[in-house]
Amino acid sequence: MAEQLAQLADDRALLGRTSTAERVSDILRSRISEGFFPPGTRLSEDSIGGALGVSRNTLREAFRLLTHERLLVHELNRGVFVRVLTVDDVEDIYRTRTLVECAVVRGLGEPPYALDALAESVEEGRRGAREGDWKRVGTANIHFHRELVALAGSERTDEVMRSVFAELRLAFHVVDDWRALHEPYLARNQEILQALRAGDRDGAERLLAVYLANSQERLVEVYRRRVGEDG
């Protein structure tokens, strides 16, 4: 934990003069998503508040915001912990993803589409794979789906899915073989991108629906085994 707190202190500069609970929650959300604080970790108010240089009240408000996003849980007389998802949670996340992501693709309208950010996330995944950095590949994969959702041009949808993707990464951090989890989807991201470049919105939606169904099945299988072992 000492190493994590030392690195977290580096984020203090990000707060600047607007040391608000929202900014603190943004920092902690990013750190949780990166696996900096793994699922099940107890978050110390004193240590984290000291590292970031924020008041106890500000930190508690940030914790409250992240609890509302289902990234943290408050346990009576024990404190605040990074949430450990259940298998039902993972399945519900994928139901939400399928509803939203497929609807975004279905509603794109007429091509051409603004695909530069989507293409960059595909290339970032390839770079991570070439370097054997499978956590980086996982991050690039999340970016791909975030940029896919962003094609809708809806701030509200972006906000909803930001929380969903952050919650999904809690499940990723329980999995021990990141390569097996993420490698199969490098090519599938490229296929979806190619379909959108060709203006084949319907084909892209079909690819995405199968992709998400396969991803859910695979992650749930691995996650159920891991959670069972830990329990």
Side-chain angles (χ1 to χ4, degrees):
M1 180 62 74
E3 180 182 354
Q4 286 94 326
L5 291 172
Q7 293 181 45
L8 189 63
D10 294 338
D11 291 330
R12 190 169 178 170
L14 299 175
L15 296 174
R17 295 182 179 180
T18 57
S19 180
T20 64
E22 288 80 6
R23 294 293 298 276
V24 173
S25 67
D26 285 345
I27 289 170
L28 293 179
R29 184 187 302 105
S30 294
R31 291 298 192 171
I32 290 168
S33 294
E34 293 165 3
F36 191 77
F37 297 117
T41 301
R42 182 180 179 276
L43 302 184
S44 165
E45 286 186 2
D46 291 339
S47 297
I48 293 176
L52 290 175
V54 298
S55 70
R56 187 182 296 267
N57 286 341
T58 295
L59 188 60
R60 285 179 176 174
E61 176 62 13
F63 283 172
R64 187 191 68 78
L65 292 171
L66 295 177
T67 299
H68 180 70
E69 293 180 20
R70 299 185 179 88
L71 297 180
L72 302 179
V73 292
H74 180 268
E75 297 185 10
L76 190 62
N77 299 323
R78 294 194 65 216
V80 175
F81 295 79
V82 179
R83 190 157 170 251
V84 178
L85 301 183
T86 65
V87 170
D88 286 345
D89 289 327
V90 176
E91 291 176 336
D92 192 40
I93 286 169
Y94 272 90
R95 278 193 293 271
T96 303
R97 291 187 65 191
T98 300
L99 284 169
V100 174
E101 293 186 50
C102 288
V104 166
V105 174
R106 190 181 316 122
L108 282 178
E110 295 303 314
Y113 309 120
L115 301 174
D116 288 350
L118 206 64
E120 174 54 31
S121 65
V122 169
E123 184 54 38
E124 174 64 13
R126 288 172 172 168
R127 287 192 291 265
R130 286 195 296 268
E131 296 171 13
D133 187 344
W134 297 102
K135 286 194 175 183
R136 181 178 173 186
V137 173
T139 297
N141 189 44
I142 291 291
H143 287 170
F144 176 86
H145 290 277
R146 190 175 64 195
E147 296 299 342
L148 188 69
V149 170
L151 292 175
S154 166
E155 292 183 3
R156 290 173 178 81
T157 305
D158 290 344
E159 184 177 352
V160 168
M161 294 307 291
R162 179 190 66 176
S163 296
V164 170
F165 290 137
E167 199 176 353
L168 176 65
R169 293 192 68 166
L170 293 180
F172 289 172
H173 292 303
V174 175
V175 176
D176 57 355
D177 189 345
W178 281 60
R179 177 172 185 170
L181 181 64
H182 296 302
E183 187 174 30
Y185 301 103
L186 288 168
R188 299 176 81 164
N189 287 347
Q190 178 64 34
E191 289 175 353
I192 293 170
L193 176 62
Q194 287 174 339
L196 290 173
R197 277 177 169 162
D200 185 5
R201 181 185 58 194
D202 293 342
E205 184 186 353
R206 287 193 296 271
L207 288 168
L208 179 61
V210 174
Y211 176 126
L212 291 173
N214 292 162
S215 179
Q216 174 182 340
E217 182 180 3
R218 184 175 183 83
L219 182 57
V220 165
E221 177 187 357
V222 174
Y223 194 78
R224 180 178 283 116
R225 185 166 62 248
R226 290 290 296 169
V227 170
E229 288 174 359
D230 293 341

